[in-house]
Amino acid sequence: MQDLDQYTVTDATLAQMAQTPNPRLREIMDAAVRHLHAFAREVSLTPAEWLAGMKFLTAVGHACTPFRQEFILLSDVLGLSSLVNAMHDARAGEDGTQTSLLGPFYREAAPSHALGESIAGLSSGEEMVLFGNVLDAAGRGVPHASVQVWQTNAEGLYDLQLHEPEQMDMRGCFACDGSGAYHFRTIRPRGYMIPMDGPVGGLVQAQRRHGYRPAHIHFLIGAPGHRELVTALYLADDAHIDSDTVFGVSQALVVRPSLDLAGSPRPDLASIRYDFRLSRTADGGSGRVGADPSKILEPAP
Amino acid sequence: MQDLDQYTVTDATLAQMAQTPNPRLREIMDAAVRHLHAFAREVSLTPAEWLAGMKFLTAVGHACTPFRQEFILLSDVLGLSSLVNAMHDARAGEDGTQTSLLGPFYREAAPSHALGESIAGLSSGEEMVLFGNVLDAAGRGVPHASVQVWQTNAEGLYDLQLHEPEQMDMRGCFACDGSGAYHFRTIRPRGYMIPMDGPVGGLVQAQRRHGYRPAHIHFLIGAPGHRELVTALYLADDAHIDSDTVFGVSQALVVRPSLDLAGSPRPDLASIRYDFRLSRTADGGSGRVGADPSKILEPAP
């Protein structure tokens, strides 16, 4: 019998996992254990600190409900979600619109709207219009592409954060016309602090971070034969445009609403024009499936 | 504004956390983010895999109850708990008994017993006796040292896994006599599979690991002025003595019960003699405080 020390325990763990039949699971868990152990050795983690970590992760798990996904929030504030997106974009090459965070507020089964309608059913604020095209990798319009949109209201809250989270608002699905064009109305979203009443908020406060995300509108865009696009547009004039707590902003996704914009279906309203470009189907989807907080609570496969 | 790629997002995350006032929290989170990101880059984690990870961690959190600590179990099967113990022992020097895993079945407020009594109240099996001394770093007996014991019954189950987990059995607290000697009776514990009905069990099965721990008896030993000792004794004749799923066994903790053992208070029973040696108080305790599953559910500090 070998007595395990802080180095040999890593070898012993990897040896026990070496018979994993799924090669990708083996590869991922092998790397996870090596990096987890290297982390613990680097900081010389004490039992009391380890226990604080166990308590923190347990609290994160218990904060996850059908209307809230605290682990995705943790991934977001640690930069992991943004990193996964960046690698996903890099694999797809340069031809598609950059992705941005799905975030914890996506919901499947958002209501369908006709082009031109407003997603602000129960909320009021400064009216805006968004319009443009969904294009393929060669720059041609993608007929009837599906465009899902969700955002905060003028108070910086998603419907999931309101008193009746079952009721949907400030989200909807549109189908582009035969040339790939879309337009819809909404109200100006407001930037917001990530939820600060849970364990992730506690961490962000202990790190003296402001906790704000700049105002943005989420998009999930798809069409058969194209890679699904998860992205967001960020409003340039938000005070936190350069310091997003979850690292979702990139220059190409920053927009500035303006009046009298050429081509706007409603030039009397603050208008944003944005053309989205879909990549060809590449490495197995966007990761969207099941990210609805109410769906992620199923047991892991 | 800098557009973030898979490398610069790490710098951006570390920069946002750089104002953390608590230097140890800053150090730990800085290392955690670097290693987490390095892991994701090494395996080129896809959005779908990231989402599977989020689901898995959420399921682990939801499996944590006042009677079960699935995150500690995860730490155990990944070798992290054993690694933290090994570093803890190394910092304490060579003078104390090796530590072993606290495990997820420790409970505060176990019943007190007089020396010589049995901890098997509701369970039956092969009777055994354990005896020996609690010694200080210089080899002198520690008068009235506190000895807490917990173990499985003859079916390999802890009281927490029985139908009425509120009812305690197969655990107890003893006070050594004035010379530091202890003795108590119990029944032979049985090795067991870790709980396989949760997400951690699912992982262990997907890795084709047997999931067994060899039979053992847990100890938590303390006395004022000494470092608290969390350890366990392992029975030599268990078939899994060399392949513990949670990496808790070390040679110095392996014991072999025998009849007619010299000095046994009950030489007619299978007897184990073991002297425990406490280190001087060193780096802030054993990490035991609050590891009771029913206590770990409080919000993180």
Side-chain angles (χ1 to χ4, degrees), chain B residues 84-155:
Chain B
V84 169
N85 280 345
M87 294 193 296
H88 185 61
D89 284 347
R91 279 191 299 273
E94 298 297 318
D95 57 350
T97 298
Q98 261 188 281
T99 59
S100 189
L101 305 187
L102 181 74
F105 297 109
Y106 171 72
R107 302 173 88 161
E108 294 178 359
S112 287
H113 288 290
L115 285 175
E117 287 186 347
S118 174
I119 61 169
L122 307 167
S123 307
S124 56
E126 181 193 341
E127 266 206 291
M128 300 201 317
V129 63
L130 281 89
F131 69 103
N133 297 288
V134 176
L135 305 172
D136 67 13
R140 293 171 303 225
V142 179
H144 313 301
S146 141
V147 176
Q148 280 190 58
V149 186
W150 66 106
Q151 65 168 69
T152 59
N153 62 21
E155 281 74 50

Side-chain angles (χ1 to χ4, degrees), chain A residues 2-150:
Chain A
Q2 184 192 23
D3 273 356
L4 300 177
D5 66 23
Q6 60 182 285
Y7 300 100
T8 54
V9 69
T10 306
D11 304 328
T13 308
L14 298 180
Q16 268 203 24
M17 307 188 321
Q19 301 312 312
T20 307
N22 181 318
R24 182 63 175 159
L25 179 64
R26 184 170 67 239
E27 180 181 14
I28 288 176
M29 291 309 301
D30 188 282
V33 164
R34 283 187 283 102
H35 287 280
L36 178 67
H37 287 202
F39 153 72
R41 281 191 295 261
E42 178 182 327
V43 301
S44 202
L45 198 69
T46 70
E49 291 163 348
W50 167 86
L51 188 60
M54 294 295 112
K55 284 187 178 191
F56 176 77
L57 292 172
T58 303
V60 172
H62 283 187
C64 292
T65 73
F67 300 117
R68 177 168 179 160
Q69 230 308 332
E70 194 85 355
F71 265 114
I72 290 186
L73 188 64
L74 179 60
S75 167
D76 292 350
V77 304
L78 297 183
L80 177 65
S81 310
S82 179
L83 168 57
V84 170
N85 280 344
M87 294 193 296
H88 185 60
D89 284 348
R91 278 191 299 271
E94 298 297 318
D95 57 352
T97 298
Q98 262 188 281
T99 60
S100 189
L101 304 188
L102 182 75
F105 298 110
Y106 171 74
R107 301 173 88 161
E108 293 180 358
S112 287
H113 288 291
L115 285 175
E117 286 186 348
S118 175
I119 61 168
L122 306 168
S123 307
S124 56
E126 182 193 341
E127 265 206 291
M128 300 201 320
V129 63
L130 280 89
F131 69 102
N133 299 287
V134 176
L135 306 172
D136 67 13
R140 293 171 304 225
V142 179
H144 314 300
S146 142
V147 176
Q148 281 190 58
V149 186
W150 66 105

Side-chain angles (χ1 to χ4, degrees), chain B residues 126-133 149 151 182-189 215-219 232-237 252-276:
Chain B
E126 181 193 341
E127 266 206 291
M128 300 201 317
V129 63
L130 281 89
F131 69 103
N133 297 288
V149 186
Q151 65 168 69
Y182 73 90
H183 65 112
F184 65 91
R185 285 174 300 126
T186 181
I187 57 174
R188 180 188 283 266
H216 57 279
I217 303 168
H218 290 279
F219 287 86
L233 299 180
Y234 294 86
L235 299 190
D237 58 359
L253 301 174
V254 173
V255 293
R256 194 178 293 276
S258 51
L259 291 168
D260 301 318
L261 187 62
S264 172
R266 290 288 302 272
D268 57 317
L269 297 180
S271 299
I272 294 170
R273 179 188 172 118
Y274 203 88
D275 289 345
F276 298 95

Side-chain angles (χ1 to χ4, degrees), chain B:
Chain B
M1 178 185 308
Q2 185 192 24
D3 273 357
L4 300 176
D5 66 21
Q6 60 184 283
Y7 300 99
T8 55
V9 68
T10 305
D11 304 326
T13 307
L14 299 180
Q16 268 203 25
M17 307 187 322
Q19 302 310 314
T20 307
N22 180 320
R24 182 61 175 159
L25 178 63
R26 184 169 67 241
E27 179 182 16
I28 288 176
M29 290 309 300
D30 189 282
V33 164
R34 283 187 283 100
H35 287 280
L36 178 66
H37 287 201
F39 153 71
R41 281 191 296 262
E42 178 182 328
V43 301
S44 201
L45 198 69
T46 70
E49 291 162 349
W50 167 86
L51 188 59
M54 295 295 111
K55 285 187 177 189
F56 176 75
L57 292 171
T58 302
V60 172
H62 283 187
C64 292
T65 72
F67 300 117
R68 177 168 179 160
Q69 231 307 332
E70 194 85 355
F71 265 115
I72 290 185
L73 188 63
L74 180 60
S75 167
D76 292 350
V77 302
L78 297 183
L80 178 65
S81 310
S82 179
L83 168 57
V84 169
N85 280 345
M87 294 193 296
H88 185 61
D89 284 347
R91 279 191 299 273
E94 298 297 318
D95 57 350
T97 298
Q98 261 188 281
T99 59
S100 189
L101 305 187
L102 181 74
F105 297 109
Y106 171 72
R107 302 173 88 161
E108 294 178 359
S112 287
H113 288 290
L115 285 175
E117 287 186 347
S118 174
I119 61 169
L122 307 167
S123 307
S124 56
E126 181 193 341
E127 266 206 291
M128 300 201 317
V129 63
L130 281 89
F131 69 103
N133 297 288
V134 176
L135 305 172
D136 67 13
R140 293 171 303 225
V142 179
H144 313 301
S146 141
V147 176
Q148 280 190 58
V149 186
W150 66 106
Q151 65 168 69
T152 59
N153 62 21
E155 281 74 50
L157 294 169
Y158 290 94
D159 54 5
L160 283 165
Q161 299 174 297
L162 298 175
H163 292 305
E164 296 184 74
E166 297 81 4
Q167 189 146 33
M168 297 212 194
D169 191 31
M170 300 309 302
R171 61 181 77 232
C173 301
F174 296 87
C176 291
D177 69 17
S179 72
Y182 73 90
H183 65 112
F184 65 91
R185 285 174 300 126
T186 181
I187 57 174
R188 180 188 283 266
R190 186 165 161 181
Y192 56 88
M193 237 184 214
I194 61 163
M196 282 300 203
D197 58 340
V200 174
L203 174 65
V204 165
Q205 287 176 304
Q207 293 175 325
R208 295 289 188 277
R209 295 160 67 175
H210 59 59
Y212 275 95
R213 299 213 65 203
H216 57 279
I217 303 168
H218 290 279
F219 287 86
L220 189 150
I221 299 178
H226 299 274
R227 199 176 69 150
E228 199 168 53
L229 172 65
V230 176
T231 193
L233 299 180
Y234 294 86
L235 299 190
D237 58 359
D238 190 289
H240 301 104
I241 192 74
D242 284 321
S243 60
D244 184 359
T245 300
V246 302
F247 313 100
V249 182
S250 59
Q251 191 60 55
L253 301 174
V254 173
V255 293
R256 194 178 293 276
S258 51
L259 291 168
D260 301 318
L261 187 62
S264 172
R266 290 288 302 272
D268 57 317
L269 297 180
S271 299
I272 294 170
R273 179 188 172 118
Y274 203 88
D275 289 345
F276 298 95
R277 197 178 282 246
L278 303 182
S279 300
R280 291 183 183 84
T281 300
D283 71 346
S286 66
R288 175 193 66 84
V289 180
D292 186 339
S294 69
K295 298 280 163 42
I296 208 170
L297 296 176
E298 293 157 16

